[in-house]
Amino acid sequence: MTDPSFQNRMPVMIGIGEYHVGSEPMMAIGLGSCIGLTIYDREHQIGAMVHIMLPDSSGRSDRPGKYADTAVPLLLGKLSEKGCRKASLVVKMAGGACMFEYFGNNLNIGERNAEKVRAILAENHLRIVAEEVGGKSGRTVAFYPDDGGKVTVRSADGAAHEI
């Protein structure tokens, strides 16, 4: 299913460990255990998106978008630099699937990613207004800061909806 919102607008593709801040459409493809986190500023009508791969950086600083513990502060800092205030931020997340169930719960990276993102947002006094996490299917997330912060999620089975 093609998302009609993308007609005539090429999204910024957000790869693993990458992020983008701006008002143009953004997309993260093939989120399995990874998290696609979006933060939208209602006042300035800009947003930030990151494709988080792992919950903890363990002190690594080479790719801050790759880890939940460094990605969330990174996005908040970038938005703050643009004059955004926490009071006008809208946070959504998708992904965090359990892709390797047969290895047991210790390796449920998707669940650990989602828990870490929630914890860091809570530390920053932000709450998630919509999420689609868990399950066993991959997802693609599209984010439209120029369309009121709309976020659509397409599951691996092709079903698409807004969160």
Side-chain angles (χ1 to χ4, degrees), residues 2-158:
T2 303
D3 190 333
S5 299
F6 275 140
Q7 290 177 351
N8 303 320
R9 298 186 299 160
M10 289 301 301
V12 174
M13 301 307 288
I14 313 294
I16 294 172
E18 295 179 350
Y19 70 94
H20 184 76
V21 179
S23 59
E24 51 281 326
M26 303 171 211
M27 180 182 270
I29 296 175
L31 297 171
S33 58
C34 293
I35 296 288
L37 179 69
T38 65
I39 305 177
Y40 173 69
D41 182 281
R42 294 180 303 246
E43 186 177 323
H44 293 89
Q45 298 179 344
I46 62 170
M49 182 177 197
V50 64
H51 186 150
I52 298 168
M53 181 180 178
L54 295 168
D56 194 350
S57 64
S58 299
R60 291 185 217 82
S61 60
D62 55 323
R63 291 185 63 195
K66 186 175 178 179
Y67 310 99
D69 67 330
T70 53
V72 175
L74 171 71
L75 291 191
L76 294 176
K78 295 291 182 183
L79 288 167
S80 178
E81 288 172 11
K82 296 200 176 278
C84 300
R85 297 175 307 118
K86 285 184 184 178
S88 66
L89 298 180
V90 177
V91 182
K92 298 180 182 180
M93 99 171 146
C98 180
M99 304 304 289
F100 304 105
E101 178 179 28
Y102 50 88
F103 286 121
N105 286 337
N106 283 348
L107 288 179
N108 189 344
I109 296 170
E111 184 177 305
R112 289 176 32 223
N113 281 339
E115 288 173 3
K116 187 69 166 189
V117 169
R118 285 186 196 105
I120 295 168
L121 288 167
E123 288 171 11
N124 284 279
H125 309 287
L126 292 168
R127 68 179 192 86
I128 298 169
V129 299
E131 67 177 62
E132 184 178 309
V133 297
K136 297 177 178 141
S137 296
R139 299 172 176 95
T140 292
V141 179
F143 177 38
Y144 307 90
D146 60 347
D147 189 10
K150 176 176 150 183
V151 175
T152 61
V153 179
R154 186 175 8 167
S155 301
D157 65 7

